[in-house]
Amino acid sequence: MDLTGLDGLFSAEEKDLALKVRSLVDEVIRPNIADWYDQAVFPTEIIPELGKLGVLGMHLEGYGCAGRSAVEYGLAAQELEAGDSGLRTFVSVQGSLAMSAIHKHGSEAQKNEWLPRMASGEAVGCFGLTEPTAGSDPAAMMTNAKQDANGDWVLNGSKRWIGLANLADVAIIWAQTGEHGEGRGVRGFVVPTNTPGFKAEVISQKLSMRASVQCEIHLEDVRLPAEAILPADSAIGLKGPFQCLNEARYGIIWGVMGAARDSFNAVLDYSATRMQFGTPLAGFQLTQAKLADMAVAINKGYLLAHQTGRIKDGVLPGSVTPAMISTGKLDNCRVAIGIARDAREMLGGNGITLDYSPLRHANNLESVRTYEGTDEVHQLTIGRHLTGIGAFTRTEA
Ligand code: TGC
């Protein structure tokens, strides 16, 4: 499938890491994923294995984290998502969202308390930004945090689509602290999930990401000490969570290409052995045209991910901008879902069962394409970059 010299882009160490993650996927995830997906089970037993492999918060430095490069993180995301988007999502939520929030914006005490345990998989984190009525527009969040006379914070509100909130030990909750006053605005809070008033309810009957759990969080007078706030100036306002979303969106640029690659491999194998009209499917011109288009699209997606990663690592010049991240997230998700759907079609009736991965990937990618910014959010982010005009219009009720 390597049509563009991809293999030569990576060092021996990077390839070694990718192979280690691939082995875990082959040994632990592939044999079980159809059942987990069918039964809507997130396999919690893999959390310590992922910790042992060093992929939880792997791009972070210190506090027990592996301090790997952005490209290595991307390669790991790609291998995990070749297994299943739900499992890659767990690693993203834990490392890029919850751990990144603490690492970027937290106090030394918060970092020391949570990051080593989260890196090993002993503690699970979740990231509460989205709300039932505030998805693409987190500025419209209703969750609020009020400080009382003793300095305690009291949180009220609800969050939705929060990965693993029911299993999490700690939640990073973003809440509005008021429009006026120094340090006010949207702020992040480190909330141990055993705090009275915190409740996570699993969202059921999903048709996507079934080997993963998403929840609605209800916060009712959740009382926290003053030091539960993420104290850094970098976390005052929406740029606090957006910096974490950049990390997660970056991982998606790579991850979805893993799902695309796995879909392609499934149909390449199938077409070599499936006979119709006395010929393997692979011998038909229409099949080869489809396989060629898929392979070209995957190569381009890898190159986009690689280019973004090398810039992020400072190996190539420039810096990674939000528009660059949006370009990768938008296009690689779009391309991956197209490949997974085409692969399903080429599998014929067999493609609608869990014996083959493409429809599972396509269904998962519906979520991946939607979370961390829909196509439209990323198109408008790129549009703003190109034109200098923000087209996100807010109409006050
Ligand atoms: P805007 O005025 O553009 O920005 C507000 C402040 O944020 C800064 N900023 C960024 N900083 C870093 N990285 C970025 N990508 C940034 N984008 C914006 C900006 O400079 C500004 O800073 P300052 O200092 O001037 O205050 O804000 P806006 O409200 O106009 O934003 C528009 C828009 C649509 C781009 C933004 O709202 C957006 O990205 N919306 C999509 C939100 C999204 O992706 N939500 C999904 C979250 S996923 C989730 O909650 C579940 S986690 C997954 C799981 O648990 O499974």
Side-chain angles (χ1 to χ4, degrees):
M1 197 210 64
D2 184 354
L3 304 173
T4 52
L6 297 170
D7 193 54
L9 296 176
F10 301 103
S11 69
E13 201 182 341
E14 289 165 347
K15 287 185 211 169
D16 184 54
L17 174 88
L19 284 178
K20 282 198 179 113
V21 181
R22 189 177 294 185
S23 298
L24 180 90
V25 168
D26 286 346
E27 284 161 28
V28 182
I29 295 175
R30 276 189 201 285
N32 298 304
I33 187 63
D35 285 340
W36 292 333
Y37 196 90
D38 190 36
Q39 291 154 27
V41 167
F42 173 75
T44 49
E45 62 273 21
I46 67 160
I47 297 175
E49 303 224 28
L50 292 167
K52 240 185 275 162
L53 198 60
V55 297
L56 302 178
M58 65 187 283
H59 62 299
L60 304 174
E61 290 283 347
Y63 308 96
C65 303
R68 294 286 201 151
S69 69
V71 165
E72 287 171 320
Y73 170 47
L75 287 167
Q78 189 189 102
E79 294 303 331
L80 289 166
E81 196 145 358
D84 192 77
S85 301
L87 302 166
R88 196 273 306 149
T89 296
F90 163 68
V91 171
S92 287
V93 171
Q94 176 89 343
S96 296
L97 294 177
M99 291 175 75
S100 272
I102 297 173
H103 198 272
K104 283 178 195 295
H105 310 306
S107 65
E108 276 308 303
Q110 288 165 341
K111 291 177 195 180
N112 285 316
E113 179 176 3
W114 290 107
L115 294 178
R117 288 197 289 140
M118 292 171 86
S120 69
E122 195 189 323
V124 170
C126 66
F127 186 86
L129 176 66
T130 300
E131 301 195 350
T133 56
S136 291
D137 182 16
M141 71 172 63
M142 307 287 284
T143 298
N144 61 76
K146 297 200 168 116
Q147 205 162 20
D148 71 9
N150 302 324
D152 286 354
W153 290 99
V154 181
L155 271 56
N156 279 288
S158 53
K159 299 285 173 184
R160 189 164 166 84
W161 299 117
I162 310 306
L164 295 192
N166 62 325
L167 298 171
D169 302 283
V170 62
I172 306 301
I173 298 291
W174 300 94
Q176 184 55 256
T177 62
E179 283 172 18
H180 307 293
E182 204 186 324
R184 298 285 163 165
V186 170
R187 298 297 303 257
F189 295 86
V190 179
V191 184
T193 55
N194 59 6
T195 311
F198 181 101
K199 194 171 127 205
E201 204 177 329
V202 173
I203 299 171
S204 60
Q205 298 192 324
K206 285 180 301 164
L207 296 171
S208 174
M209 304 273 273
R210 289 180 56 77
S212 171
V213 183
Q214 283 73 37
C215 296
E216 185 142 329
I217 293 178
H218 303 280
L219 304 152
E220 206 180 320
D221 291 330
V222 172
R223 180 172 289 274
L224 302 166
E227 56 274 16
I229 197 167
L230 291 171
D233 285 352
S234 56
I236 301 174
L238 274 174
K239 64 180 185 297
F242 286 165
Q243 288 168 63
C244 306
L245 292 187
N246 285 341
E247 300 295 334
R249 290 167 177 172
Y250 167 75
I252 290 171
I253 300 174
W254 288 87
V256 292
M257 281 297 118
R261 185 191 77 202
D262 191 65
S263 300
F264 171 82
N265 283 336
V267 76
L268 183 67
D269 286 352
Y270 184 83
S271 62
T273 54
R274 171 72 171 179
M275 302 293 289
Q276 288 294 280
F277 305 104
T279 310
L281 288 183
F284 288 97
Q285 289 187 353
L286 287 177
T287 304
Q288 290 195 10
K290 287 176 187 163
L291 290 171
D293 285 351
M294 287 173 168
V296 168
I298 293 169
N299 273 259
K300 285 160 71 177
Y302 274 28
L303 291 172
L304 181 52
H306 174 266
Q307 168 85 357
T308 312
R310 293 289 185 220
I311 294 174
K312 201 168 186 328
D313 282 332
V315 173
L316 290 176
S319 57
V320 171
T321 61
M324 200 182 287
I325 299 271
S326 286
T327 302
K329 201 281 182 180
L330 170 69
D331 206 54
N332 278 10
C333 282
R334 232 169 16 190
V335 162
I337 202 167
I339 288 169
R341 286 175 182 161
D342 285 351
R344 197 304 298 160
E345 191 182 293
M346 292 164 73
L347 290 163
N350 287 327
I352 70 157
T353 71
L354 279 167
D355 291 340
Y356 297 90
S357 63
L359 186 56
R360 173 171 54 78
H361 286 309
N363 283 355
N364 283 338
L365 290 167
E366 293 286 349
S367 298
V368 181
R369 190 176 186 173
T370 304
Y371 71 32
E372 315 294 2
T374 59
D375 285 11
E376 293 78 6
V377 160
H378 293 298
Q379 286 169 319
L380 295 183
T381 300
I382 296 167
R384 180 165 64 179
H385 173 78
L386 295 174
T387 64
I389 303 169
F392 306 100
T393 46
R394 180 182 304 285
T395 309
E396 298 303 339

